[in-house]
Amino acid sequence: MNVSRIALAGGVAASTVLLLAGTASAHVSVQPQGEAAKGGYATVNFKVPNERDNASTTKVEVNFPTDHPLASVMPQAVPGWDIEVTKSKLAKPMEMHGQKINEAVSKVTWTATGDKDGRGIRPGDFQQFPLSIGQLPEDADQLVFKAIQTYDNKEVVRWIEEQKAGAEEPESPAPVLALTAPATGEHGSAADAKGAGAEAADKQTTAAADTSSSDTTARVLGIVGIVIGVAGVAFGVLAGRRRTA
């Protein structure tokens, strides 16, 4: 009896922990496909879960950071959703591929289409919204996006609270994209490139020297073999003559 009660209590406790963990993690987030390297481009997914039991999410709005504007933002089509990309003029123009950029994307909005009963993100579901973004800043470790989630019952949830150092996670945290170190192949210095070229040249020189040495050795061995063969033939002829005599 006691064993059964303990097992039941343990099961209830475990279920409660899982439930609380699921509730705490059920917020709008952003994750890259692969890595989001500084100074490069990345494809990211905004994951939007539905937290309500009696309403569907019908609109998602993602606001882009103004301190590190992104000039290139291309959304991937999502079935059942209309996409609107909003651009704003920059207070200070930025350079991108040698050209001055006067405006950058400030917001992307997804709006559900179709019948009311079957549209949007339904209870218990989630949806991912892919974007290609760049050029990522080189002087930042992360980008903070502020998202607004709207339900078909007119409820609006604002995922806009930024995480403060040393503090607990806020109730409605903003999606944060962590940036990694720049890829050497794309953004390596000229010295690195020169060093790589010199190393490749050294390898080619070494390979050529090895090949030349191998060829010389092969030729010497070939000549020695011929000499030994001729000597053997001559010895055989002389031996035959001696026997005949």
Side-chain angles (χ1 to χ4, degrees), residues 18-38:
L18 291 175
L19 179 61
L20 292 176
T23 303
S25 63
H27 53 70
V28 177
S29 60
V30 57
Q31 293 293 332
Q33 293 183 12
E35 292 186 346
K38 297 178 182 179

Side-chain angles (χ1 to χ4, degrees), residues 104-176:
V105 173
S106 57
K107 180 173 61 175
V108 177
T109 305
W110 292 267
T111 305
T113 61
D115 298 334
K116 182 178 179 180
D117 294 335
R119 65 176 181 171
I121 309 171
R122 285 176 269 186
D125 293 344
F126 74 90
Q127 178 66 54
Q128 295 194 81
F129 299 94
L131 290 174
S132 173
I133 61 175
Q135 186 172 354
L136 300 176
E138 297 182 354
D139 57 348
D141 295 325
Q142 64 180 27
L143 292 178
V144 179
F145 300 86
K146 295 185 178 182
I148 300 176
Q149 182 177 10
T150 303
Y151 291 87
D152 58 8
N153 61 358
K154 307 303 181 182
E155 180 186 2
V156 177
V157 180
R158 302 179 184 276
W159 304 97
I160 61 174
E161 298 180 69
E162 297 188 32
Q163 177 71 49
K164 295 182 180 180
E168 295 183 358
E169 184 182 55
E171 184 177 352
S172 300
V176 177

